[in-house]
Amino acid sequence: MSNSIFGKRSYDMIAFVLLAALILVVLPLTLDAFRLNLVGKYLTYSFVALGLVLCWGYTGILSLGQGVFFGLGGYCMAMFLKLEASSVANTKIQSTPGIPDFMDWNQITALPTYWIPFQSLTFTLVAVILVPCFMAFVLSYAMFKRRVGGVYFAIITQALSAVMTILIIGQQGYTGGVNGITDLRTLNGWDIRPDSSKIILYFVCCALLLGCILLGRFVLTSKLGRILVAIRDKEDRVRFSGYDVANFKVFIFCLASIFAAIGGAMFTLQVGFMSPSFVGIVPSIEMVIFCAVGGRHSLVGAVAGALLINYGKTLFSESFPELWLFAMGGLFIAVVLAFPRGLAGLLTDQVMPWVTRLRIRKSGGSPSVSPSPAE
Amino acid sequence: MANETDFLLALESVTVSFDGFKAVNDLNLYIDKGELRVIIGPNGAGKTTVLDLICGRTKLSSGSIKFKNEEISTLKEQQIVRRGIGRKFQTPSIYEDLTVFENLELSFPRGREVFGALFWNRANEIVERVREIAEMIYLADHLDRSAETLSHGQKQWLEIGMLLIQDPELLMLDEPVAGMSVSERAKTAALLNTIIKNRSVVVIEHDMKFVESIAHRVTVLHQGKVLAEGDMEKIHADSRVKEVYLGH
């Protein structure tokens, strides 16, 4: 059964295959290890953009605090890596060997209790998912059950990202403060720093990203996806169709936070550190822009948006560093004013119909734009 | 007054005030099983507020609302819906971004929990039911159309269809023929006459001709109170009703 907004399923699949070909084949073959690692870093942001497609594009929940979940995922991973890098042998010059260096600098003499479980990789991997998800659950449950939504939700999530940054910076002895957690070396004994490891991590990142896209697609094409659209459209009516709207919003917000957290963990692994500058207001809003430019109604579009903007950012800031913020601001305004459905929308609404018309003209057939009758 | 337990819906001494203004004032209203009740009254009489109260959209200040002898005034909207009360809004309230089929499918009373919806299986039985309802609401040929492209009248029917597929025991319709053409009105009256079987219906309507074509009993509201109640003839003969409503 075809329908209005999911009717572009064939485009979706083509876009997915093109994206997979691009990141799995084209880029690894054409870029050097340094550039490929940069792409890997951009791809970690696109996990966040994917989550925003789910909760903002489809459900209408704008979150300006996705950096918090990205950061929590990243910090969980960084805590494990840091503990592994802080073995007694590696840190014997410290006054308390065996604890992370920044703790030692801050006169902390024993590993804090909540750091201890992060010595286990299994626990860490579970925490990467569950810690951000739990936080998202508490926040969204409290708000959506009270029917706080729209711009109020956006403001509170933004406040959350500010609070989180201040907390991390303020608790320097426990979090590494403004410098973040740096000097990460090995994952279960496997050195993550050489180029060969980075290439493997890049492919892991790609695989996870493609998996998340497929999972997102599964959610959006299920009945739940249509309920999300209905909530965006007429929240009240959904209640009067017998649904508990808050539960659906909590679910999709938690899923978006999990996507962001996976991105954060992959960021830590590929870039080799995590710091509060990826948690705060600015990165959180940047991630919304990635999603908006790519197309907030398209999963693949959001990934493309994250890649393109970051590519532009690197390009621009290598040559005109002071102009970059203006360029991005201008781009965002242009998107909102001129093509609110983003690049993906531009492609499916403008370019594809044009291509179709061209094909029809060539084959001499008549345009078939009349509404299709019921089966 | 008959034994209270006989009523499907009973509103007793219901009052709701918005900042001191009593939109509904000490109202008593009883709906029987299988009854079709029309509520009329001048603007601001509290008609829509009464429906809002029943379906949980507005909370009452005092009084009680019992549905099948269960107090429902403390329940949430979706819980009231699940008890078997359906509500149509004054302006068509449908999901414009979805197709007619999807609008009806979402209203089907199953898979209402998050994971039920995620692993929803569009079974034949559901497709059949959607078709059946679409037939009734004159939209069988438009199932794949996006709801936003429907005409105003078709949107009204779609919303009625979304209620029907829930199979509620009590159906509440707020001005179902507002903004409809003459032929659409006739079709809607026919539709209402088929769907009122086996359920109770409360209709708010201004169009007296339409009211006369469907009504069993009429309640006249005025300033949040019941002014008169009875069959059409009795209402027409009532001098107070003439004064506040029918007269002009």
Side-chain angles (χ1 to χ4, degrees), chain A residues 1 3-4 147 222-224 226-227 232-234 236-238 240-244 248 374-375, chain B residues 57 77-78 82 87 89 93-97 99 102 105-106 110-112 114 117 131 159 166:
Chain A
M1 184 155 304
N3 54 58
S4 60
R147 302 199 185 163
S222 71
K223 189 178 98 161
L224 188 131
R226 298 190 285 279
I227 293 171
R232 182 186 71 195
D233 214 11
K234 285 216 168 53
D236 244 3
R237 177 79 254 176
V238 181
F240 289 111
S241 296
Y243 296 98
D244 193 334
F248 287 85
E375 323 161 291
Chain B
R57 203 182 196 203
E77 292 97 324
Q78 68 270 11
R82 292 177 190 191
R87 158 87 187 267
F89 292 90
S93 178
I94 54 170
Y95 310 127
E96 308 236 332
D97 285 343
T99 63
E102 290 166 336
E105 183 191 27
L106 280 200
R110 214 182 292 160
R112 278 167 162 170
V114 171
R131 292 250 167 79
E159 195 181 353
Q166 293 174 7

Side-chain angles (χ1 to χ4, degrees), chain A residues 51-62 144 150 219-220 224-235 245-253 256 296-297:
Chain A
L52 282 166
V53 168
L54 298 180
C55 76
W56 181 38
Y58 276 81
T59 323
I61 306 165
L62 175 57
F144 294 142
V219 170
L220 292 181
L224 188 131
R226 298 190 285 279
I227 293 171
L228 298 180
V229 172
I231 290 174
R232 182 186 71 195
D233 214 11
K234 285 216 168 53
E235 187 169 331
V245 170
N247 291 347
F248 287 85
K249 291 171 106 176
V250 168
F251 170 80
I252 205 69
F253 188 66
R296 62 192 164 116
H297 298 122

Side-chain angles (χ1 to χ4, degrees), chain A residues 30-253:
Chain A
T30 52
L31 296 178
D32 57 52
F34 170 72
R35 292 281 167 186
L36 194 64
N37 182 237
L38 271 186
V39 173
K41 184 171 95 173
Y42 305 158
L43 285 179
T44 64
Y45 300 139
S46 64
F47 283 89
V48 186
L50 277 186
L52 282 166
V53 168
L54 298 180
C55 76
W56 181 38
Y58 276 81
T59 323
I61 306 165
L62 175 57
S63 165
L64 297 178
Q66 291 306 93
V68 170
F69 308 116
F70 183 82
L72 282 173
Y75 267 98
C76 285
M77 183 49 83
M79 284 161 81
F80 171 79
L81 296 174
K82 188 67 189 169
L83 285 179
E84 200 174 297
S86 313
S87 62
V88 178
N90 284 342
T91 55
K92 54 182 177 290
I93 53 162
Q94 291 176 183
S95 40
T96 317
I99 63 169
D101 47 13
F102 58 84
M103 292 186 183
D104 194 57
W105 302 334
N106 286 282
Q107 285 84 45
I108 289 171
T109 51
L111 198 61
T113 328
Y114 66 88
W115 271 76
I116 293 170
F118 285 93
Q119 288 164 338
S120 146
L121 179 60
T122 320
F123 176 88
T124 304
L125 293 181
V126 172
V128 161
I129 304 289
L130 288 190
V131 170
C133 182
F134 176 73
M135 179 122 178
F137 178 81
V138 171
L139 176 80
S140 60
Y141 190 87
M143 294 188 60
F144 294 142
K145 281 288 174 188
R146 287 179 180 76
R147 302 199 185 163
V148 177
V151 69
Y152 300 100
F153 188 79
I155 290 170
I156 289 178
T157 48
Q158 182 164 61
L160 180 74
S161 61
V163 166
M164 203 67 183
T165 319
I166 294 165
L167 182 75
I168 290 172
I169 294 175
Q171 297 298 312
Q172 186 165 289
Y174 300 99
T175 62
V178 74
N179 297 319
I181 299 179
T182 55
D183 193 19
L184 308 175
R185 296 170 193 176
T186 54
L187 177 75
N188 245 14
W190 177 60
D191 198 328
I192 60 170
R193 289 166 299 175
D195 284 349
S196 58
S197 308
K198 290 209 163 140
I199 288 171
I200 292 172
L201 285 171
Y202 171 82
F203 281 108
V204 170
C205 182
C206 290
L208 285 171
L209 183 70
L210 296 175
C212 285
I213 294 178
L214 291 179
L215 180 63
R217 247 181 79 81
F218 170 70
V219 170
L220 292 181
T221 51
S222 71
K223 189 178 98 161
L224 188 131
R226 298 190 285 279
I227 293 171
L228 298 180
V229 172
I231 290 174
R232 182 186 71 195
D233 214 11
K234 285 216 168 53
E235 187 169 331
D236 244 3
R237 177 79 254 176
V238 181
R239 284 199 187 96
F240 289 111
S241 296
Y243 296 98
D244 193 334
V245 170
N247 291 347
F248 287 85
K249 291 171 106 176
V250 168
F251 170 80
I252 205 69
F253 188 66

